[in-house]
Amino acid sequence: MRVPLSWLREYVDLPATETGRDVQAKLVSAGLEVETVEQLGAGLTGPLVVGRVLTIEELTEFKKPIRFCTVDVGAANGTGEPQEIICGARNFAEGDKVVVALPGAVLPGDFRIAERKTYGKVSRGMICSGDELGMGDDGSHGIIVLPPEYEVGIDATELLELYDEVLDIAVTPDRGYCLSMRGIAREVATAYGLPLRDPALLDVPAPNSYGYLVKVSDPIGCDRFTARTVVGLDPEARSPIWLQRRLQKAGMRPIGLAVDITNYVMLELGQPLHAYDRTRLDGPITVRRAEPGEKLTTLDGTVRVLDPADLLITDNRGPIGLAGVMGGANTEIADAVTDSQTGEVRGTTEVVIEAAHFDAISIARTARRHKLSSEASKRFERGVDPQAAAAAAQRTVDLLVLLAGGTAEAGVTEVLAPSAPRAITMPADHPDRVAGVTYGRETVVRRLQEVGCDVSGQDELVVTAPSWRPDLTEPNDLAEEVIRLEGYENLPSTLPKPPAGRGLTERQRTHRRVGRALAGAGYVEALNYPFIGKEILDRLDIPADDPCRQVVTLVNPLSDEEPALRTTLLPGLLATLRRNDGRGSHDVALFETGLVFRAAGEPGVAVRLPVDRRPTDEEIAGVNAVLPHQPRHAAVVLAGAREQAGWWGGGRPSDWADAVEAARTVAREAGAELIVRQGQYGPWHPGRCAELAVVADGEERVVGHAGELHPRVIKALHLPARTCAMELDLDTVERASAGAVRAPRISAFPVATQDVALVVDRQVPSAEVGRALREGAGELLESIRLFDVFEGEQIGEGRKSLAYALRFRAADRTLTVEEASAARDAAVAVAAERTGAVLRGA
């Protein structure tokens, strides 16, 4: 909501020294979000005057039409002589009044006006458009043509109200009353402790039986409908400058007098209105729901197929408006048109004014159903004051009579559905208990009365909320009003005191260690939405009988393309990798730890938990029983260079081994021993895929896979070539942990290194050989590293040589050569027994 400060001062007598920034601070303190304070006219200096076009000479020898004009600016130029100006606009004629920037003026954007020679003439000034003065588009797409009554030479900055401050307020859905000058003025008056001149306090005639006939067949959708009629309008009447400028400052474009007046009153009182050309109406106005198959062409020229839940305004011919959203084109106010033969001006001379109150939910659903958000629907769906309809209609009639020379007919139509005021019972100390501050009864009553409530009672208050505050429905709403008006900044800051001995759980510590370790290894954390579409599982080549296919589908998904909860972290991570690669970041290493969701048995319906007390253990257990299984996974994806090239070397690309190492990093932080062996699963390349397993609860369990993705998957998902990935079940890895991770004990004694080269069949995994060596070497083995793999004629067909470096160290002594050799021989013996390994050269 854009609020011009000059307009706001009509309802509240603010001190003359108060600036927009001062008002902003007051409103922010009262709980409103003022995003900006715009300084209109900043950088604009005169002379800027009203001129009258005397002559126009068309210069036709140039590529585009140019006009050489003489303009009378009176004594503003110091000589009284006509001002010669070059202008390219064509929406004005001789005799028109225009706005002229004389030499020395500076327009917004630091555009300085000076005499200059152009198109073979000397131009001494500029004829201005609304955009050039920072006024915005007035619909003319050309220079400003003023009404003829303004005197030549007067200051145009005051005439056009070019200097002002505009507060841009972000109105939350529960404060619909602030989408009006009346609502903002009430907040400002309360913040400053000043009286409010309520623009809705008008003398309104009582309804009678000879107004325009209106029938409401759905009193729930429309509980109030006021109709007034004005005849004898001058079709040539234009909106005065002050009215146009207020609309422009509020962010709306002037259209025509009748429409401008309804928009102005809507901004002023918050009540949306609509004006119908009475000559285009056929019979009484009816409010009803749409019938199947009905259509309506709205004012934006779109033909809309209506839904039976849509609330309509109709006449005998059918729909003439989408209630509370947008009117129909068949009853639109007609523009003034001059008959070329008779010179007669034709246009709308009779209008019927609609001021109604519609159900907020119905309007919100209709606007979203048709993807048609309007200024009217924005207000109705947030709550409009039903008591303001009659005043808004009267205000519109008064302006039409004043500005268009019309006559108000005596008929007043008002259709009402019975309703009762909302009374809320609240203990007088309830705001005190909510805020933790002692306000006292007098303060509570005073603040509620400032909001517009009627308050009675002593210890137990009976509060009747005002009609413009539909959001006040319970004691907590009233407490919020007291607290915000007393100032959120006055609430004490009290830090909670956690009980001693509590902190992060071991599971939480593990998750944090895993994240830190992966970040330290060069991975960047990516947090993705937990939603997927089932087709992504097809692109990942997930088998049809895989548990990942058992997805949990949401009833109300954010996107129809992704209606299910994820069963794997890979879709989100791979989409993030693809997006980064498409934007020029080709060397990518990402990780994510998060929950995946697996359907658990038959679906159930959770009970609705209470909010006024802590749920019982049985109620919480009932909710948990119907929730899907939610294990926590860890995953990484890599593409491009793993080590950058530079003066230090050529670098290297990321490959399947990096994905496997990431899995080992996760397992180390969880304190579990990871079993790595060749595998084959879903999206991974069958020859470059490692199966990851751990021993948990006494049995070996597969917890994930790592390696290079299959070329078919890479092509289907448009990923970089040789993309690698890893994903494992972090919860199961934690269960395989031997307990808290302990720091290694550092021995002060020297290390004894023994190298061993073993020949095995080509199909035997090196990890299996290394595991056998580790077990056979015993406690003296500190580390083992594979440093060479060789295949060739010297080894034999179908065979390979694996060279390992074994490091032995004792905690209490220096090892002898005999001890290190014995440990090495024991390791080789176990490897030979389990894998058929033979010492190379033996």
Side-chain angles (χ1 to χ4, degrees):
M1 176 70 187
R2 290 173 56 85
V3 179
L5 189 59
S6 59
W7 193 357
L8 187 63
R9 290 181 183 275
E10 289 196 1
Y11 312 119
V12 183
D13 289 326
L14 293 171
T17 57
E18 287 295 288
T19 66
R21 296 291 183 188
D22 298 328
V23 177
Q24 177 189 28
K26 288 285 188 180
L27 291 178
V28 169
S29 179
L32 293 179
E33 183 180 351
V34 184
E35 293 187 332
T36 59
V37 178
E38 183 179 348
Q39 304 290 331
L40 299 185
L44 173 66
T45 58
L48 196 71
V49 299
V50 175
R52 182 169 64 88
V53 179
L54 300 177
T55 64
I56 299 176
E57 178 186 351
E58 300 288 347
L59 304 181
T60 59
E61 63 269 27
F62 302 101
K63 291 182 179 180
K64 62 179 181 178
I66 295 297
R67 305 170 114 189
F68 180 64
C69 311
T70 59
V71 184
D72 178 14
V73 294
N77 59 2
T79 64
E81 296 295 324
Q83 203 78 3
E84 298 175 339
I85 300 175
I86 292 288
C87 184
R90 312 193 65 79
N91 65 315
F92 64 99
E94 292 181 357
D96 282 346
K97 297 288 181 66
V98 295
V99 178
V100 178
L102 296 176
V106 180
L107 302 187
D110 197 27
F111 184 63
R112 299 179 180 275
I113 306 301
E115 290 188 9
R116 62 190 182 97
K117 187 173 183 179
T118 181
Y119 296 102
K121 303 284 186 180
V122 176
S123 180
R124 298 178 172 86
M126 186 173 77
I127 302 175
C128 300
S129 68
D131 283 336
E132 291 164 339
L133 297 179
M135 297 169 54
D137 180 24
D138 61 358
S140 67
H141 303 292
I143 61 98
I144 302 169
V145 178
L146 300 171
E149 63 265 21
Y150 293 107
E151 183 181 347
V152 168
I154 64 173
D155 187 358
T157 58
E158 294 184 6
L159 175 66
L160 299 176
E161 302 177 14
L162 296 180
Y163 298 112
D164 203 349
E165 293 180 277
V166 178
L167 287 75
D168 192 353
I169 302 175
V171 179
T172 53
D174 61 330
R175 298 196 183 278
Y177 69 97
C178 286
L179 289 172
S180 67
M181 295 299 302
R182 180 193 184 202
I184 298 297
R186 179 175 286 108
E187 291 293 326
V188 171
T190 301
Y192 279 91
L194 297 172
L196 169 70
R197 287 188 291 275
D198 191 345
L201 296 180
L202 300 175
D203 291 330
V204 179
N208 49 54
S209 59
Y210 43 90
Y212 198 92
L213 184 58
V214 175
K215 300 177 182 178
V216 178
S217 62
D218 190 338
I220 296 177
C222 176
D223 58 4
R224 182 182 294 262
F225 197 108
T226 300
R228 300 288 299 275
T229 305
V230 181
V231 299
L233 300 176
D234 179 4
E236 292 187 284
R238 296 174 53 186
S239 299
I241 291 177
W242 65 266
L243 178 58
Q244 295 186 45
R245 288 297 293 135
R246 287 193 172 178
L247 292 176
Q248 288 175 322
K249 292 176 184 179
M252 302 187 76
R253 182 171 63 86
I255 298 173
L257 180 57
V259 177
D260 290 350
I261 288 175
T262 58
N263 286 337
Y264 176 82
V265 175
M266 177 185 68
L267 292 172
E268 184 178 49
L269 300 181
Q271 168 67 53
L273 302 109
H274 192 73
Y276 300 95
D277 188 329
R278 189 166 76 165
T279 61
R280 297 186 177 187
L281 291 173
D282 183 6
I285 293 175
T286 302
V287 183
R288 62 171 174 83
R289 298 288 175 174
E291 297 175 358
E294 278 191 299
K295 296 181 180 180
L296 169 67
T297 302
T298 47
L299 287 173
D300 58 358
T302 302
V303 179
R304 303 185 183 277
V305 179
L306 303 175
D307 187 273
D310 292 335
L311 193 65
L312 300 181
I313 310 296
T314 68
D315 63 6
N316 290 338
R317 294 171 299 178
I320 61 174
L322 204 54
V325 180
M326 185 173 286
N330 52 352
T331 57
E332 182 180 7
I333 300 297
D335 295 330
V337 178
T338 303
D339 192 304
S340 58
Q341 296 180 350
T342 64
E344 179 185 1
V345 178
R346 298 175 182 174
T348 299
T349 59
E350 302 178 3
V351 298
V352 176
I353 305 300
E354 166 205 307
H357 184 262
F358 301 110
D359 176 61
I361 296 177
S362 175
I363 300 304
R365 289 175 175 170
T366 296
R368 284 156 179 76
R369 187 180 299 119
H370 293 281
K371 296 181 174 60
L372 183 61
S373 178
S374 64
E375 292 291 334
S377 67
K378 185 166 65 174
R379 286 165 172 79
F380 276 123
E381 66 188 35
R382 286 165 172 78
V384 169
D385 181 7
Q387 303 293 336
Q394 182 63 45
R395 178 72 165 138
T396 304
V397 168
D398 293 342
L399 289 173
L400 284 171
V401 171
L402 174 67
L403 302 177
T407 302
E409 289 194 346
V412 178
T413 302
E414 194 165 63
V415 181
L416 300 175
S419 61
R422 292 170 286 113
I424 306 168
T425 302
M426 178 187 74
D429 63 346
H430 182 66
D432 301 5
R433 289 187 282 112
V434 170
V437 177
T438 302
Y439 293 121
R441 180 187 179 280
E442 291 185 2
T443 299
V444 171
V445 172
R446 174 172 57 85
R447 288 303 189 183
L448 292 178
Q449 289 175 339
E450 289 175 348
V451 170
C453 298
D454 290 331
V455 185
S456 60
Q458 292 298 319
D459 295 338
E460 195 79 10
L461 301 180
V462 179
V463 182
T464 303
S467 58
W468 58 83
R469 293 299 302 272
D471 59 304
L472 302 182
T473 59
E474 58 179 49
N476 284 337
D477 298 329
L478 301 178
E480 180 186 0
E481 293 301 298
V482 175
I483 295 168
R484 76 175 182 88
L485 293 178
E486 284 295 307
Y488 291 121
E489 68 277 9
N490 296 323
L491 293 178
S493 298
T494 305
L495 293 176
K497 296 181 179 180
R502 296 187 183 181
L504 296 177
T505 64
E506 187 59 35
R507 184 168 183 258
Q508 291 170 329
R509 292 192 185 97
T510 300
H511 295 164
R512 293 195 179 188
R513 285 200 309 270
V514 167
R516 284 194 295 266
L518 290 175
Y523 292 87
V524 177
E525 185 172 17
L527 301 178
N528 298 291
Y529 284 119
F531 309 115
I532 61 170
K534 293 183 180 180
E535 66 279 356
I536 190 63
L537 301 177
D538 298 329
R539 296 181 185 180
L540 288 173
D541 281 351
I542 302 296
D545 58 348
D546 193 275
C548 283
R549 292 280 186 174
Q550 300 175 8
V551 298
V552 178
T553 303
L554 301 176
V555 176
N556 55 341
L558 293 179
S559 170
D560 293 336
E561 297 179 355
E562 296 179 332
L565 291 172
R566 66 188 179 192
T567 56
T568 167
L569 299 181
L570 290 183
L573 276 176
L574 292 175
T576 303
L577 184 147
R578 180 178 64 248
R579 186 162 53 249
N580 280 271
D581 181 72
R583 295 178 180 177
S585 298
H586 304 302
D587 304 325
V588 184
L590 305 174
F591 84 92
E592 181 176 11
T593 59
L595 300 179
V596 299
F597 305 84
R598 303 286 174 85
E602 292 296 325
V605 178
V607 297
R608 187 181 295 274
L609 296 178
V611 296
D612 58 342
R613 60 175 174 81
R614 184 190 184 280
T616 64
D617 294 340
E618 291 76 14
E619 290 171 331
I620 296 175
V623 172
N624 291 334
V626 298
L627 292 178
H629 182 49
Q630 302 175 47
R632 183 175 292 273
H633 281 203
V636 305
V637 294
L638 307 97
R642 186 67 177 129
E643 296 178 4
Q644 296 292 331
W647 58 265
W648 53 85
R652 68 172 183 86
S654 56
D655 59 18
W656 61 269
D658 294 304
V660 174
E661 182 57 30
R664 289 196 173 102
T665 299
V666 173
R668 278 196 300 270
E669 293 300 324
E673 182 178 352
L674 191 67
I675 302 171
V676 181
R677 55 176 171 251
Q678 186 173 359
Q680 183 174 345
Y681 176 73
W684 280 276
H685 192 295
R688 300 167 187 158
C689 173
E691 183 179 80
L692 311 175
V694 296
V695 177
D697 303 328
E699 61 178 311
E700 183 177 296
R701 298 187 182 186
V702 176
V703 293
H705 295 81
E708 183 179 316
L709 296 183
H710 198 289
R712 183 170 56 247
V713 174
I714 290 175
K715 182 179 180 181
L717 297 180
H718 307 289
L719 299 171
R722 311 299 293 268
T723 296
C724 300
M726 178 278 294
E727 182 172 12
L728 53 75
D729 184 339
L730 188 54
D731 284 350
T732 304
V733 172
E734 288 183 59
R735 289 204 301 274
S737 171
V741 178
R742 296 183 179 276
R745 184 173 181 178
I746 306 300
S747 173
F749 294 93
V751 65
T753 303
Q754 295 277 345
D755 293 344
V756 59
L758 301 176
V759 179
V760 296
D761 289 340
R762 183 179 298 170
Q763 291 77 19
V764 176
S766 61
E768 186 175 342
V769 177
R771 187 161 49 251
L773 289 172
R774 184 183 300 276
E775 292 183 12
E779 296 181 355
L780 294 178
L781 181 67
E782 182 179 80
S783 68
I784 180 172
R785 179 174 62 88
L786 175 67
F787 66 86
D788 184 58
V789 178
F790 176 76
E791 296 180 12
E793 296 179 357
Q794 301 92 325
I795 304 302
E797 185 177 356
R799 305 280 283 174
K800 62 181 177 182
S801 171
L802 304 176
Y804 294 88
L806 286 70
R807 291 167 57 91
F808 298 97
R809 194 194 309 257
D812 57 349
R813 68 188 186 281
T814 298
L815 292 177
T816 64
V817 174
E818 290 77 14
E819 288 176 314
S821 298
R824 182 201 62 183
D825 294 342
V828 171
V830 174
E833 178 184 351
R834 294 189 180 180
T835 66
V838 178
L839 275 173
R840 184 175 175 181

